């Protein structure tokens, strides 16, 4: 894993490129909530046990090399265990997996009670019923304010289920309506 600190177009970041802290957090959350996102669960095996976290901050980043990006909060108690594992699976949830999202979104306890999964090729949990899964190795970490931007090198991926994705919009689950 390589730690980097780069800004736009690969330029090294300086205090002159640091954004203003004058934005109201509640207003930013409200405005950003209008951007609908899919819902993923990032999973890994740490010390022989499955760990997972719900993650909306996920995107495809690059085709060559094949990279994705996630952005867990610095306050996450799960991401340090994912980091220690060095590899993870991004499970893209289906619209009928709200219960899985809730289980993985809570703090503490065994988040995998009642959640069906099998080991992926990299050993991390691949959740049953997910629309898609992407196996990754942690390639880079970058600072991202109160989050860490994690770049995952894709090692395998598939679409095991043809179903609508679970969506999140304005603070609640939403459905994608195909036209």
């Amino acid at each position: 894993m390589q730690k980097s600190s780069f800004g736009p177009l690969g330029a090294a970041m300086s205090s002159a490129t640091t954004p203003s802290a004058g934005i109201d957090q509640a207003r930013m959350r409200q405005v950003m909530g209008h951007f609908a996102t899919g819902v993923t669960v990032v999973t890994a095996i740490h010390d022989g046990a499955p760990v997972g976290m719900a993650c909306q901050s996920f995107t495809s980043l690059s085709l060559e090399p094949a990279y994705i990006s996630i952005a867990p909060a610095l306050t996450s108690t799960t991401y340090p265990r994912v980091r220690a594992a060095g590899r993870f699976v991004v499970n893209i949830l289906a619209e009928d997996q709200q219960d899985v999202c809730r289980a993985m979104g809570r703090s503490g306890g065994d988040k995998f009670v009642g959640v069906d999964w099998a080991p992926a090729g990299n050993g991390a949990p691949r959740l049953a019923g997910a629309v898609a899964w992407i196996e990754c190795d942690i390639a880079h970490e970058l600072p991202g304010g109160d989050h860490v931007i994690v770049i995952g090198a894709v090692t395998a991926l598939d679409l095991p289920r043809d179903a609508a994705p679970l969506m999140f919009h304005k603070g609640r689950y939403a459905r994608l309506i195909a036209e």
Side-chain angles (χ1 to χ4, degrees):
M1 171 177 39
Q2 177 181 349
K3 292 193 176 198
S4 306
S5 182
F6 295 96
L9 304 177
M13 292 177 65
S14 71
S15 59
T17 60
T18 304
S20 168
I23 301 296
D24 178 68
Q25 291 180 10
R27 182 66 173 162
M28 183 161 174
R29 184 180 302 262
Q30 179 187 30
V31 169
M32 296 309 294
H34 282 70
F35 181 69
T37 65
V39 180
T40 69
V41 169
V42 174
T43 58
I45 294 292
H46 179 257
D47 288 342
V51 295
M53 61 184 185
C55 182
Q56 289 171 252
S57 297
F58 162 77
T59 192
S60 173
L61 184 61
S62 170
L63 293 175
E64 184 56 42
Y67 283 150
I68 59 87
S69 155
I70 62 171
L74 293 175
T75 57
S76 171
T77 58
T78 301
Y79 181 67
R81 292 179 278 165
V82 172
R83 177 192 289 131
R87 60 184 51 95
F88 59 92
V89 171
V90 175
N91 298 271
I92 299 175
L93 298 186
E95 69 181 355
D96 61 357
Q97 292 186 296
Q98 292 180 15
D99 57 333
V100 174
C101 182
R102 282 188 203 95
M104 296 296 165
R106 68 176 180 251
S107 291
D110 183 354
K111 297 179 182 184
F112 284 83
V113 171
V115 175
D116 190 19
W117 65 277
N122 68 4
R126 189 180 303 152
L127 303 182
V131 172
W133 53 263
I134 302 112
E135 293 181 29
C136 300
D137 291 337
I138 296 175
H140 306 280
E141 288 185 333
L142 301 149
D146 57 3
H147 285 65
V148 59
I149 300 165
V150 180
I151 298 173
V154 177
T155 58
L157 67 164
D158 203 5
L159 298 164
R161 182 174 177 206
D162 185 16
L166 181 59
M167 303 294 293
F168 202 73
H169 181 248
K170 292 169 49 174
R172 60 184 181 267
Y173 296 113
R175 292 190 180 261
L176 178 67
I177 299 173
E179 294 203 16

